[in-house]
Amino acid sequence: QALLYQTGDDHDYVPLNQSTTEGNDDQAFWGLAVMAAAERNFSNPDPDQPQWLYLAQAVFNTMALRWDADSCGGGLRWQIFTWNSGYDYKNSVSNGALFHIAARLARYTGNQSYVDWAEKVFDWMRDVGLITEGDWAFVHDGVSIDDNCTSVTPYQWTYNHGLIMAGSAYLYNFTGSEVWHNRTKEFLHSSSVFFKNGSILWEAACQASNTCNTDQRSFKAYFSRFLGLTAQLVPESRSQIMEWIHSSAKGAANS
């Protein structure tokens, strides 16, 4: 009931009660939820209702239609609607979520067009500097169209990192490509910056200064989920990931 309540008149998770404030990232996280429902074979709604896969595809399709090639050579804006603050900002959570949903739809449906979209989004993010590759592969917060996306906001958030890492894991699991295998390993290796003293999960960009807002306090939860998905999709990553998760679970309990 909760997953169906906010689908909206067009069954794309842009309901009228949110249509003045909803951003691409907000819509995307509903897409992640119904994508998980499809993958887990969660009981589908009644036949006269949209099914989980349909809803995930509707989120992807409406987001992909907003791809903005007119500024910075591509990318999604943070906001859907022109009147909202942040419409001039292209951020990693919106683009990373589009990449991530494409990767999951590719694996679920076997459709190469989703792989092509995932590659397109990843390449654009890398080209403007939102993603760096190598042993220390990072995902930065966003870029502004005001300077043609030339100045990167350097904050590194766990959930952005997780979207790209787990999306890479989905693509490797589906395609068997060493490119995506290596990218998964690189993002996993650099995930260590989000574990205080090498063991306890923390939001490095705000937790040390005790300035995390309500949204930022939730990022580690999504990151933990993306770590779990990566552990399942790329079994060689499991021992490191479970070591981190166990330490963090004990830390949470002790606190």
Side-chain angles (χ1 to χ4, degrees), residues 4-140:
L4 291 175
Y5 186 78
Q6 291 290 85
T7 57
D9 292 343
D10 296 325
H11 302 306
D12 58 2
Y13 287 105
V14 188
L16 285 176
N17 66 347
Q18 295 294 327
S19 62
T20 60
T21 58
E22 185 170 355
N24 275 304
D25 51 344
D26 304 316
Q27 183 189 18
F29 270 77
W30 283 105
L32 294 175
V34 286
M35 191 69 239
E39 291 169 340
R40 308 284 183 188
N41 201 27
F42 188 61
S43 298
N44 264 292
D46 293 336
D48 62 339
Q49 298 280 355
Q51 308 293 285
W52 305 136
L53 176 61
Y54 175 95
L55 289 165
Q57 289 174 314
V59 169
F60 172 83
N61 290 338
T62 53
M63 290 181 68
L65 282 173
R66 300 185 197 116
W67 186 260
D68 174 31
D70 293 334
S71 59
C72 309
L76 280 182
R77 295 170 183 256
W78 177 14
Q79 299 297 331
I80 297 172
F81 304 105
T82 58
W83 54 78
N84 285 328
S85 177
Y87 185 71
D88 59 350
Y89 195 61
K90 295 190 173 184
N91 59 355
S92 284
V93 64
S94 297
N95 287 281
L98 181 63
F99 162 79
H100 183 93
I101 295 172
R104 291 172 80 156
L105 284 170
R107 180 175 178 271
Y108 190 88
T109 67
N111 190 326
Q112 177 64 32
S113 66
Y114 291 121
V115 177
D116 296 342
W117 256 103
E119 291 175 343
K120 175 180 178 178
V121 179
F122 187 97
D123 290 347
W124 178 83
M125 293 181 71
R126 181 194 57 205
D127 291 347
V128 299
L130 290 178
I131 289 175
T132 61
E133 293 190 271
D135 285 344
W136 294 100
F138 289 121
V139 184
H140 301 290

Side-chain angles (χ1 to χ4, degrees), residues 126-202:
R126 181 194 57 205
D127 291 347
V128 299
L130 290 178
I131 289 175
T132 61
E133 293 190 271
D135 285 344
W136 294 100
F138 289 121
V139 184
H140 301 290
D141 186 72
V143 287
S144 173
I145 66 170
D146 293 340
D147 62 1
N148 198 36
C149 301
T150 55
S151 299
V152 176
T153 303
Y155 296 119
Q156 297 165 23
W157 302 106
T158 51
Y159 75 153
N160 287 338
H161 197 91
L163 281 166
I164 301 300
M165 176 183 65
S168 298
Y170 270 95
L171 289 168
Y172 169 59
N173 185 274
F174 173 57
T175 67
S177 165
E178 278 303 304
V179 171
W180 293 112
H181 188 203
N182 288 330
R183 285 172 175 167
T184 304
K185 291 191 292 185
E186 288 173 359
F187 286 110
L188 178 66
H189 176 253
S190 54
S191 293
S192 62
V193 302
F194 299 117
F195 290 87
K196 190 174 184 180
N197 300 324
S199 61
I200 305 297
L201 181 60
W202 77 323

Side-chain angles (χ1 to χ4, degrees), residues 202-229:
W202 77 323
E203 197 64 55
C206 64
Q207 199 165 343
S209 56
N210 199 31
T211 57
C212 302
N213 64 28
T214 301
D215 285 354
Q216 292 157 3
R217 291 175 186 174
S218 72
F219 293 170
K220 292 181 290 186
Y222 318 133
F223 182 53
S224 298
R225 186 175 300 177
F226 296 140
L227 283 167
L229 291 171

